[in-house]
Amino acid sequence: GTFVVDHPEELTAINAIAAENGIVQPVMLRVTPGIDCHTYEAVNTGKVDSKFGSAIVTGDAARITKQALDAPNVKLCGFHCHIGSQLFDSAVYIATVDVMVDFLKDMQDTYGYSAEKLDIGGGYGVRYVATDPVIDIAASIREVAAQMKEKVAEAGIEMPHVYMEPGRS
């Protein structure tokens, strides 16, 4: 399988254990895009100060990318980002796409690395009360996909395999 790595210490440990076992371990790096999804604080995981992942804006995400690319017993497959859950529209996903594609382009320009996979995280919400919005998930996914195609074409990079997480929905 593939490990999702949050921090440099994890990456160091995975590389060492993979070396002991004579394997190259596939990993994805979890990065925080700095998106505030305006949801419940406990499930808002995309902000810069999130405990999950390495922040793009601080340069931590670029540093761990370089570390992964230099690790002989790790194969970097791509990136995963936490943005939170209980999302009721596509706006947070679209903002995430914009940030993440810019990051992919930067990693390609800086390190010559083209990501195979991109998990934009998230989680469509469940209506717990009547005042929670109703979401057309299929329409939202079409909107996010259109933004992804446009942004990737604009950046001039290869389209990664894109994943979204269903969340509580």
Side-chain angles (χ1 to χ4, degrees):
T2 301
F3 286 106
V4 176
V5 177
D6 277 309
H7 299 287
E9 297 82 15
E10 276 183 293
L11 188 59
T12 298
I14 290 168
N15 186 58
I17 293 167
E20 289 170 11
N21 287 281
I23 64 169
V24 175
Q25 177 60 51
V27 300
M28 291 178 73
L29 300 177
R30 185 164 15 225
V31 300
T32 53
I35 305 289
D36 186 350
C37 65
H38 304 292
T39 187
Y40 306 108
E41 191 61 31
V43 296
N44 188 350
T45 56
K47 297 187 302 183
V48 171
D49 61 350
S50 173
K51 67 181 178 179
F52 298 107
S54 301
I56 292 172
V57 71
T58 63
D60 290 344
R63 283 188 286 281
I64 196 171
T65 298
K66 175 75 167 116
Q67 180 185 350
L69 292 171
D70 289 344
N73 291 91
V74 166
K75 178 188 186 301
L76 181 57
C77 298
F79 301 98
H80 173 284
C81 58
H82 257 306
I83 57 174
S85 60
Q86 280 301 91
L87 307 177
F88 286 101
D89 62 36
S90 57
V92 172
Y93 285 111
I94 287 172
T96 300
V97 163
D98 290 347
V99 170
M100 291 307 299
V101 171
D102 287 345
F103 178 71
L104 295 182
K105 171 72 169 148
D106 186 39
M107 294 303 93
Q108 183 171 302
D109 291 349
T110 304
Y111 301 121
Y113 173 70
S114 180
E116 300 168 30
K117 300 176 184 179
L118 175 61
D119 184 331
I120 60 172
Y124 287 113
V126 170
R127 293 183 73 222
Y128 290 117
V129 295
T131 56
D132 285 341
V134 175
I135 182 168
D136 182 342
I137 293 175
S140 179
I141 290 172
R142 283 191 298 274
E143 193 176 352
V144 173
Q147 180 68 12
M148 178 67 74
K149 290 175 186 174
E150 180 182 321
K151 189 75 176 173
V152 163
E154 180 183 291
I157 63 172
E158 234 180 274
M159 177 67 78
H161 292 277
V162 179
Y163 302 85
M164 291 175 75
E165 298 173 18
R168 295 180 184 144
S169 62

